Amino acid sequence: MTSPGRTERLVLPGVLTAEQAARTVAGIIAAQREDGAIPWFRGHHLDPWDHTEAAMALDAAGEHERAEAAYDWLVRTQNSDGSWYAAYADGDADAPTDRGRETNFCAYIAVGVWHHFLSTGDETFLDRMWPAVYAAVEFVLELQQPGGQIGWKREDDGTPVADALLTGSSSVHQALRCALALAEQREEPQPDWELALGRLGHAIRSHPERFLDKSRYSMDWYYPVLGGALRGAAARARIDDAWEQFVVPGLGVRCVLPNPWVTGGESAELALALWAMGESDRAVQILKWMQHLRADDGLYWTGYVFDDDAIWPAELTSWTAGSLLLAVAALGGDEATTSVFGGDRLPTGLAPDCCR
């Protein structure tokens, strides 16, 4: 089991002690396969986005070799077009269960690789990962629409889905910034990526009509902030506007309206978004509230239906634990995590012609 001495950086009063953090990290490690894959839990599926989030949490806990193994899994399993499938049975690369290729899933490798590099300073790792990051970004940008938004995915037969999701595009926004940071570190400028990022950011900030209406989902509420497209007064106004709709005092954050269901992943991600806005007190409060989802083994239940007083679904997911650890790491000042989610030193992209 991970030693509490390695998780002292993840102590947050009222949320985690070092021993509790060690148990949570050990729970993620227990889900990881020998080949580096991190499924939701053993026997369930893996998706590339949540796999990467769990790997980032391992880095935040000092488990760099295990995180590196997770990124090596992505390199080995990348499709020839730069993508990954949306789901793999128990993380088995030979057993994809959803052959769609979702853009935000594919882009997120850039966030994880940049986070690992900042955590370790390992230039050799960066060099090894760069071709995979480059190919993934190129795959994603093939689906950028004229309005700047990113099309959702390619179907199994290669058909592009032009409809764009605000949450997914906001996640891609963060990934493009991290990809550009990697390019700068390698001294390989990518002006086309800068232009794409500028157009995407403009669409997120100014053109909600370019995205499918998923406003019932809390992720569409906070992801423009979490992904770095909104900051300052605009971010605060967005969060405050729907706070009472999505936040359930004492329990956490609803996943979707009007369902009486709070989820740990959304709660921890909102806490990260609040921290990025400079609202650390509210972030800590949200993390304290979600501790009712903590299980004895240190992992977290996915969600809780409060009208029925029921844990649902009855699953302890690596990515829920990962999102909690990343939020705690940001609040604790972990440099790699604050750089990735704070974004103050990440490239911002070039403004589109309409905004220059």
Side-chain angles (χ1 to χ4, degrees):
M1 178 175 169
T2 296
S3 166
R6 299 194 68 179
T7 51
E8 289 179 354
R9 71 181 80 186
L10 296 174
V11 171
L12 184 63
V15 178
L16 286 180
T17 65
E19 183 176 357
Q20 288 173 329
R23 290 185 67 81
T24 300
V25 174
I28 296 174
I29 290 172
Q32 188 173 30
R33 291 163 44 114
E34 289 185 2
D35 62 2
I38 310 176
W40 285 22
F41 51 87
R42 292 312 306 266
H44 199 52
H45 78 256
L46 172 153
D47 72 74
W49 198 101
D50 289 309
H51 164 89
T52 299
E53 183 171 47
M56 292 169 66
L58 292 176
D59 265 327
E63 296 286 348
H64 302 310
E65 290 183 6
R66 292 184 177 276
E68 186 171 343
Y71 296 120
D72 284 336
W73 184 89
L74 288 173
V75 171
R76 292 194 305 273
T77 59
Q78 188 172 35
N79 296 320
S80 60
D81 63 359
S83 70
W84 289 270
Y85 296 125
Y88 300 82
D90 196 34
D92 184 349
D94 295 325
T97 55
D98 182 344
R99 290 180 177 269
R101 289 158 282 164
E102 299 190 19
T103 47
N104 69 300
F105 282 12
C106 296
Y108 210 59
I109 185 177
V111 181
V113 168
W114 183 237
H115 184 261
H116 184 81
F117 173 71
L118 293 176
S119 297
T120 64
D122 187 346
E123 292 276 0
T124 301
F125 167 84
L126 190 156
D127 292 342
R128 190 169 76 252
M129 294 291 137
W130 174 247
V133 172
Y134 183 89
V137 171
E138 290 292 298
F139 168 82
V140 169
L141 292 184
E142 285 180 358
L143 276 80
Q144 186 167 37
Q145 303 304 303
Q149 70 275 26
I150 305 294
W152 176 16
K153 64 178 179 177
R154 285 193 184 275
E155 300 285 12
D156 183 12
D157 64 1
T159 302
V161 177
D163 290 337
L165 303 173
L166 181 59
T167 295
S169 286
S170 297
S171 179
V172 172
H173 183 273
Q174 181 190 22
L176 284 176
R177 297 182 74 191
C178 290
L180 283 166
L182 287 163
E184 286 186 4
Q185 181 68 30
R186 291 179 52 82
E187 298 182 351
E188 295 188 27
Q190 301 294 328
D192 289 347
W193 295 4
E194 293 184 68
L195 287 167
L197 173 60
R199 293 168 56 216
L200 175 57
H202 176 69
I204 293 169
R205 287 186 292 271
S206 303
H207 290 282
E209 76 281 359
R210 295 177 184 173
F211 301 91
L212 294 176
D213 182 7
K214 300 289 183 180
S215 56
R216 293 173 55 230
Y217 292 83
S218 60
M219 287 192 295
D220 261 30
W221 166 50
Y222 64 74
Y223 247 90
V225 180
L226 183 60
L230 288 182
R231 286 290 188 263
R236 288 191 293 275
R238 184 178 186 87
I239 295 301
D240 290 344
D241 182 60
W243 182 270
E244 293 185 0
Q245 296 179 55
F246 287 112
V247 175
V248 183
L251 295 178
V253 178
R254 292 178 189 256
C255 177
V256 56
L257 298 173
N259 299 359
W261 181 40
V262 295
T263 49
E266 275 80 353
S267 297
E269 287 184 340
L270 175 62
L272 259 178
L274 290 167
W275 167 82
M277 291 165 47
E279 297 275 356
S280 293
D281 289 345
R282 281 205 288 183
V284 172
Q285 185 65 74
I286 293 288
L287 295 179
K288 288 181 177 178
W289 287 343
M290 72 170 279
Q291 295 313 302
H292 69 100
L293 296 172
R294 185 177 176 87
D296 291 341
D297 64 359
L299 292 175
Y300 290 78
W301 299 106
T302 297
Y304 172 72
V305 182
F306 48 86
D307 275 3
D308 297 331
D309 188 25
I311 293 292
W312 185 83
E315 58 186 32
L316 296 162
T317 42
S318 58
W319 51 267
T320 300
S323 63
L324 179 281
L325 291 176
L326 288 171
V328 171
L331 284 157
D334 176 65
E335 185 174 355
T337 307
T338 58
S339 295
V340 165
F341 289 99
D344 292 341
R345 290 179 289 175
L346 288 176
T348 57
L350 300 175
D353 291 339
C354 64
C355 303
R356 292 177 184 167

